[in-house]
Every structure is written in structure tokens, then in C-alpha cells.
DNA sequence: TGTACATCAGTGAACGCGCGTTCACTGATGTAC
DNA sequence: TGTACATCAGTGAACGCGCGTTCACTGATGTAC
């Protein structure tokens, strides 16, 4: 798997660079045209090439699209992973201001919380900086385009990163959801998860196949999926204009929502108390 | 405002019918092409007309798109309103099986819950039946197209209908969120809503301008907005393919999520108990 | 009820444009001996 | 180090296609008297 040569030939370097240039220009044009309005001819024109030359780099327009999609997924994925990694898994052991008894548990919970929120914010920050790439991967499907399997790996980086935050918390003794006490009007308990529990466990297993043990409780996993859909629902509404005239700077709403959903995932009361 | 004539002339009837036919055919073609791939020429061809004839009905392609968008918003809006209206605001007063003391309050809560869930299910049902119209209004914006103000009214029918469910509950004495008791790790309390509270109150006021009084508590309004984003986030993920290979029949996930989010909005514990 | 005029729907040709993809080609870069 | 051949990048013309919109026109429907 090591590169066959220490240094690339001039031809290989030129090819790599032009490939990057083509994708960059295509990305730039995405803004004005949308995914299926993207034009190979226009990209070539802007790069000072003849349109047929692009076919040396991408065998068809769909292949260029696929490359852009993979790059976009990898870009958000990388940002989210980095944002999470930047928050320590646990605060320094002898930090001040914690009671002795419940301190350890609170600290783990707080760390999980901060890492989760950092991941959510990274999604929104990237999306606002690259709205057209966001639309490419999370917006309506491009008509006539079928994403190949090679997009799946990059696509799951964000959800996997978020689930890993919860898994890491579980590995450090984060107690399972304590939501069993306060009942509510309808039957939505763990016992009613049914097939949902299986689906959630299967996903959690995928995420952690290199790190078995400490499985995420099914109800937490399912609520994490719900929070994941909320995160992207809110970002999509903000970017796609559903908030026009209401939550126009959506910053406050986003932060509040992310915090509330984190509490929801952990089974904590979504309350009004401090 | 009454129609100026009891019966339309033959010309007027023909015009109304053809307008409907054009939109119907355009809607059909949306499936294969997407919003900005929609072709006036193709629509005309399929209807056996010459393309320039369409300009007697819609002055431009964008105007046709606008009509389709308004129709789509009205279609979901109508379905959601009907689904909500089909659930009684309150169960019959002397229904059996309720304790005397807390019965009334529970009944109101249950009615609000059922009406909300009916609205959510109606969104998903409509979306799955009309995925391309859903993409048209909730997917990525069409490049180069600016939705005119006339789309706003139809667009808010769904969120307004959902908020009205909560308002009606409040008018019947639904207690405000009781979430003030159980604290959680971070400061996400009502006092921290800040500008968010103002935004939420402003929206709730819009919804209920014909019915002042009994304002929705700001935290409930904000959580309703969050649940609204979750609802559409989940439907979008399902329709746009983000659930491929995981929650492929998303029915169980959807029902569970809707129930959980309803509890979340009402400030009830999202628990595992029955 | 009948006529004169105005309104409107639909026609067909045209303008000017852009697109994805193929193909035979030239000339530069890389490789093997 | 030098030559012979293979690989590859980029060219330019062409194929076949579809698009939105305008315009002068014909003929049918509606209206006023």
C-alpha cells in the first residue's frame, strides 16, 4: 500500500494538480447552477481547456459529480471529527469545583456533552461556509444520478463520529439513560422499540466493530438517530430558506436546540431549570 | 368577492381546465427531471400543443414553477389540517377509564398528543406519496429561482397547524411545561432563551393573531420549532436516501421519533418507562 | 335575433444558445534496452 | 548517454440534441348595440 515511488513523475504531478483544479472549478460553478446544471463545457472553458480534454480526467459528468460528493462528505466528516477530537474526553482528573461524590460521573457527562455539541456546531459551520456542497449531499437527489457505493464510507463519517462520542462515554461508565422514572401519556418505552432496537443495535455495532463491548443501550442509540435527523433538519431549514422572516439569525435557535437534543439523547429532562 | 358570474363561459372553463392539465403534466415530469430540469417544451409536447402556446397560461417557466410550489405547499397543508381536524380536540366528557382527579388534564394532554402525531404522520404520508413535490418545496433551492412572496402563506400552513394544536391545548388549560424540576449539566433554561424567546413569541403571535390570549409559553414554542425541524429532517433523510442500508423501512423509527418529540415539546421526560 | 368589433387561444417559424460525448489527430513525456 | 517505442494529455471538429422566449398570424369565442 506504500506509494510505489518516492516521488511522482512530472506527468503524475500535473495530472493530480489538474484533477484538483477541475474539481475546484466545478465546485465554484455549483453555486450558480446546482448539481445537475453543472456543465463540463463551462468548467473546461474556465480552465482554458477544450471540453473533450476533461474526459482524460473524468470519464463522464456523473463521475465528476461523484468525486465532488465524496469530497464534500469527507470535508464535513473531517471537520466534525476534528472538532470532537479538540475537546478532551474527560476534564483533568483533579479539576476544581466538583463535589467528590458525583464529580467523576458529572465530568464524564459534561465531556460527552461538550464533544457532541462541538460536532453539531462543526456541521453547521461547514454547511454555512459551503452551502452548495451541503445541498449536493443533503439536498434533493440529482435526477438521473445514482450515487455509487463508494460514497457510503464518506457519508457515514459524521453519524459515526457522533455515535462514537456516546460510545466513548459509555466506555467511561456513562450511566445508561435514567429515563425510566417519569412516565408520560403514551407508551413509548424501551419495550416498545421493537424492530427499532434491532436496527439501532446493528448500526451501533457497525460503528464500533473495532471496539466491541460496552454496547450503547438501544434507546440511547435510537434517540441519537433522532437527534441526528434534527441536526440536519435544522441546518437544511436554515440554508434552504424555511426560516425566512422568523429565525433569521438562527444561531440562538441552533445552540439551544443542540443542547436540548443532547439532553434528550442522554435521557435527561429537557427542562427550563438552570 | 363572490364570483362575478354564476357560470363560467366556455372559454373560461377551457382555460381553467388546461391550466390544471399543464400543472398536472409538469408535476408528472418533475419526477424524471427535477425542478430545474423541467421543460416547458416537453410539457407542451406531451399535451399535444406547440410550446409557445403555454405562454398564454404561464408567462414564464418560473411562473409555472411558482404555481407548482404553491400547489404543493397547499396540498401538504391541507392534508395536515385535515388529519388534525379528524382527531377530536378532547375525548367525550364522560368516557370511562379515567380517574376523577387528574382525568381532565390527562385527557387534554392525550388529545393534544394525538392531534400532533396525526399532523406529523400526515406530513410523512404525503411526502412519500409525492416525493418530487416534497423535494420541490423542502429540498435544495432551485438555482436561479427566487420564490415570490405569494409562496409564504401556503408554506406556513403546516407549521401553523402544528402550533395551533398546542395553542388549543393551552386554551383548554394544558399546563405549561413542567420541566423546571430536573436540572441537567448545562445551562439551557428558560432564562437563557434570550432573543430566542422573542422570536418564538413573535411567531406564536402570528399564528394566533385572530385568537389572542393564552399565549404559548416561549419554551414550549421554541421546542415546537425544534420538533418541526426534526420532523422534516427525518422525512428528508428517508426520502433523500440517507437511511439507505440502515432504517430502510423507517416506519418504526418515525413513529417512535414523533412520540418522543411530542413528549419533548410538552416538557415531559423522554423516558423508557411505560 | 343579428351584426360589428374586440378579445383571446393556439400556430409555426425563427433566434440564439448550450449541452455531453466521440473520434482521429499531434506532440510531449516516460520507459526499456 | 542515446535511441526506439509506448503511453498519455490535449486539440478541434463534428454529431445530435434540447432549451426558453418572441413574433406575426389565423381563426374561434365573447360582447355591445
Amino acid at each position: 500500500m506504500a506509494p510505489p515511488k518516492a516521488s511522482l513523475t512530472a506527468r503524475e504531478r500535473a495530472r493530480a494538480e489538474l484533477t484538483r483544479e477541475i474539481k475546484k472549478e466545478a465546485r465554484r460553478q455549483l453555486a450558480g447552477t446546482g448539481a445537475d446544471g453543472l456543465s463540463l463545457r463551462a468548467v473546461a472553458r474556465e480552465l482554458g481547456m477544450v471540453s473533450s480534454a476533461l474526459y482524460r480526467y473524468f470519464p463522464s459528468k456523473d463521475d465528476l459529480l461523484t468525486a465532488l460528493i465524496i469530497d464534500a462528505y469527507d470535508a464535513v466528516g473531517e471537520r466534525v471529527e476534528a472538532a470532537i477530537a479538540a475537546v478532551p474526553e474527560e476534564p483533568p482528573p483533579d479539576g476544581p469545583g466538583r463535589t467528590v461524590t458525583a464529580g467523576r460521573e458529572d465530568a464524564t457527562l459534561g465531556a460527552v456533552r461538550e464533544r457532541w455539541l462541538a460536532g453539531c456546531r462543526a456541521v453547521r459551520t461547514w454547511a454555512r461556509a459551503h452551502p452548495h456542497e451541503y445541498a449536493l449531499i443533503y439536498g434533493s437527489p440529482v435526477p438521473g444520478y445514482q450515487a455509487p457505493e463508494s460514497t457510503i464510507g464518506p457519508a457515514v463519517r459524521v453519524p459515526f463520529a457522533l455515535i462514537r462520542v456516546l460510545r466513548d462515554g459509555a466506555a467511561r461508565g456513562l450511566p445508561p439513560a435514567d429515563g425510566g422514572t417519569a412516565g408520560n401519556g403514551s407508551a413509548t418505552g424501551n419495550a416498545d422499540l421493537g424492530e427499532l432496537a434491532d436496527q439501532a443495535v446493528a448500526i451501533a455495532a457497525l460503528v464500533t466493530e473495532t471496539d466491541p463491548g460496552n454496547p450503547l443501550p438501544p434507546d440511547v442509540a435510537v434517540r441519537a438517530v433522532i437527534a441526528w435527523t434534527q441536526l440536519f433538519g435544522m441546518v437544511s431549514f436554515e440554508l434552504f430558506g424555511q426560516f425566512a422572516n422568523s429565525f433569521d439569525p438562527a444561531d440562538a435557535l441552533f445552540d439551544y436546540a443542540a443542547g436540548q437534543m443532547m439532553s434528550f439523547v442522554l435521557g435527561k429532562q429537557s427542562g427550563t431549570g438552570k
Side-chain angles (χ1 to χ4, degrees), chain A residues 144-202:
Chain A
Y145 172 81
Q146 251 284 46
E149 289 204 357
S150 52
T151 57
I152 295 180
V156 298
R157 284 178 70 171
V158 168
F160 277 24
L162 289 173
I163 291 209
R164 244 182 277 115
V165 169
L166 301 176
R167 287 267 324 169
D168 291 350
R172 286 166 176 274
L174 181 79
D178 62 358
T181 53
N184 61 41
S186 88
T188 53
N190 222 352
D192 294 318
L193 284 175
E195 58 174 321
L196 205 46
D198 300 337
Q199 291 173 322
V201 166

Side-chain angles (χ1 to χ4, degrees), chain A residues 131-238:
Chain A
H132 304 98
E133 288 173 77
Y134 179 89
L136 179 64
I137 54 182
Y138 293 108
S140 0
V142 182
Y145 172 81
Q146 251 284 46
E149 289 204 357
S150 52
T151 57
I152 295 180
V156 298
R157 284 178 70 171
V158 168
F160 277 24
L162 289 173
I163 291 209
R164 244 182 277 115
V165 169
L166 301 176
R167 287 267 324 169
D168 291 350
R172 286 166 176 274
L174 181 79
D178 62 358
T181 53
N184 61 41
S186 88
T188 53
N190 222 352
D192 294 318
L193 284 175
E195 58 174 321
L196 205 46
D198 300 337
Q199 291 173 322
V201 166
I203 289 175
L206 277 182
V207 180
T208 56
E209 59 184 3
T210 58
D211 170 28
N214 285 308
L216 217 49
D219 62 328
V220 175
V222 171
R223 286 202 297 265
V225 170
I226 294 172
W228 174 54
T229 62
Q230 193 280 326
L231 169 63
F232 282 90
M234 178 162 268
V235 171
S236 291
F237 269 13
E238 181 180 3

